[in-house]
Amino acid sequence: MSYGYRHLMHIALSAIFAAMAILPAQARTPLRILSIGNSFSTDALGYLPPLMRHIAPDVDLTLGIAYRGSFTLKNHWERGVEQSAVYADLFKFSPETAYWYDDIPPWSFGLWYAIQSEPWDIVVLQEGSANSRDYNLYQPYLDNLVNWLDSLAVKPFELAWLLTPAYPDGSPYATSTSREMITDIIGAARQVMANTRATLLLPCGTALENARTTRLDSVGTFGHLSSDC
């Protein structure tokens, strides 16, 4: 691109932004999302707030992430619904603060607190990586958990499913190639969408697997876009 062309583009974009600045301000739309999962919840959603500012600048996003490392749906159901404090953190991002913060001290809350802390519009669930390729391991914990959350929620919410990634090739936890594992995970996700009231699918695992076929595969502490093995 020549300097002259870049200069013309700069002038054109400046004119567009100047025109947008004098348009009447539109009402902002609040959106509250709670993710219940494990460390992959933070991996998948941690960059959502800055992305939303570019994709949907008129949306005020409140995002909560309640997690405990390696938790599966079975763990969430059997331990998360107990009246005990088993969760590491409830990270929140709100439009008022515009940064991440810990809502309460670590290890001091359960899921009942998380679901009742906001009038959530969307609740995101996921399976732990170890169980993610077999839908039979999801149940009855997934249905039990959704029904329990429904009974406690401040208002009705949309249910979303977060499709987890496969173990990278070479992982000591892998029992197949990552491509074979993600195929099974996608199949299980299809069953979630067919057999539960989930209406939204977040295909983060698919995106990660596709990125592993590019030069990005070398990125990550252990390679293969992974921070662990």
Side-chain angles (χ1 to χ4, degrees), residues 81-95:
V81 302
E82 296 173 349
Q83 297 298 308
S84 58
V86 298
Y87 284 79
D89 277 297
L90 177 58
F91 288 124
K92 276 190 179 180
F93 181 98
S94 76

Side-chain angles (χ1 to χ4, degrees), residues 36-174:
I36 298 171
N38 51 40
S39 58
F40 184 65
S41 299
T42 61
D43 295 339
L45 299 174
Y47 293 102
L48 183 58
L51 290 173
M52 285 288 290
R53 284 199 294 269
H54 294 281
I55 297 171
D58 59 334
V59 172
D60 282 335
L61 175 67
T62 299
L63 178 59
I65 300 178
Y67 83 96
R68 177 160 176 167
S70 301
F71 254 34
T72 64
L73 290 168
K74 181 179 180 180
N75 297 143
H76 288 303
W77 170 244
E78 293 183 344
R79 300 188 62 191
V81 302
E82 296 173 349
Q83 297 298 308
S84 58
V86 298
Y87 284 79
D89 277 297
L90 177 58
F91 288 124
K92 276 190 179 180
F93 181 98
S94 76
E96 290 79 18
T97 61
Y99 62 83
W100 286 101
Y101 62 95
D102 289 346
D103 189 55
I104 56 176
W107 308 108
S108 63
F109 75 100
L111 284 185
W112 74 91
Y113 175 86
I115 190 64
Q116 294 184 328
S117 66
E118 297 277 351
W120 303 109
D121 300 300
I122 300 171
V123 173
V124 184
L125 295 177
Q126 65 167 87
E127 181 55 289
S129 297
N131 293 352
S132 59
R133 57 196 305 181
D134 185 356
Y135 179 75
N136 292 323
L137 298 177
Y138 294 20
Q139 298 291 6
Y141 316 109
L142 175 56
D143 286 346
N144 291 346
L145 189 58
V146 171
N147 291 335
W148 181 79
L149 291 169
D150 279 335
S151 72
L152 292 180
V154 176
K155 70 172 189 177
F157 58 83
E158 292 290 323
L159 179 63
W161 184 253
L162 178 60
L163 195 155
T164 53
Y167 292 130
D169 288 336
S171 167
Y173 306 113

